[in-house]
Amino acid sequence: MNGTGRRVVIGVGNDYRRDDGFGPLVVAGLTARQNSDRRLAAVDLRVSDGEPTRLIDLWTGADIAVIVDAVLDDGHHSGHRHELVLDALEELPEEGAASSHGISLGSTVALARALDRLPRRLVVLAVSGSEFGFGQGLTPPVAAAVPPVIERACELVG
């Protein structure tokens, strides 16, 4: 896990599953700012469906990887923002790591650790979503979280 200076932001989600489009929308916002915001110079901006091996491939060799995703929230706190920081030596629980995808981020991190393919620092910026059915467009509380999460991602990689 030697540092390369590489920085990556990965928006996880599916534009056709309502609030699950949050991650890709944040990355689209970052892409629109990349030429005008020095903090984003040379930052790798990617979108993923959350499949573990693809995520691992995207963050391998990075000094910092920022994952942006919408998570299921049974408490119905739609729009609530979460930030989880994992340094390479810390553990993330495999179970209970909320995700709107079939395999938890905790399981993906455990696999990456076993393969020695974790970034030096992993930061998850997530928002609680409420609608993950078929359709386009974020619910209003999740849409309201897009600008502050774009700004936070810029701060982290800058």
Side-chain angles (χ1 to χ4, degrees):
M1 286 183 260
N2 295 327
T4 62
R6 182 167 167 261
R7 300 166 295 151
V8 61
V9 178
I10 306 167
V12 177
N14 181 335
D15 293 329
Y16 299 101
R17 299 296 300 245
R18 299 294 315 249
D19 286 343
D20 199 37
F22 178 74
L25 190 59
V26 168
V27 168
L30 291 166
T31 300
R33 290 175 62 165
Q34 195 164 31
N35 290 332
S36 62
D37 191 328
R38 291 182 351 194
R39 298 173 295 179
L40 296 172
V43 174
D44 196 6
L45 301 172
R46 300 297 184 108
V47 172
S48 172
D49 62 1
E51 193 278 325
T53 60
R54 286 191 280 272
L55 271 177
I56 292 169
D57 282 345
L58 290 173
W59 73 39
T60 294
D63 274 349
I64 183 169
V66 178
I67 306 298
V68 181
D69 197 5
V71 296
L72 298 171
D73 183 350
D74 291 334
H76 307 291
H77 299 102
S78 188
H80 182 79
R81 290 182 283 139
H82 311 270
E83 183 169 330
L84 175 67
V85 178
L86 175 73
D87 291 317
L89 299 177
E90 291 182 75
E91 294 289 327
L92 182 69
E94 289 185 45
E95 298 305 320
S99 175
S100 62
H101 310 285
I103 297 176
S104 75
L105 183 58
S107 295
T108 302
V109 167
L111 176 61
R113 179 174 281 113
L115 298 172
D116 195 27
R117 292 183 63 187
L118 275 176
R120 289 182 69 158
R121 186 170 187 228
L122 178 67
V123 180
V124 179
L125 300 177
V127 65
S128 295
S130 60
E131 293 186 26
F132 293 91
F134 294 112
Q136 289 183 285
L138 305 178
T139 58
V142 173
V146 171
V149 170
I150 286 174
E151 186 55 35
R152 181 64 181 138
C154 288
E155 292 169 359
L156 288 165
V157 298

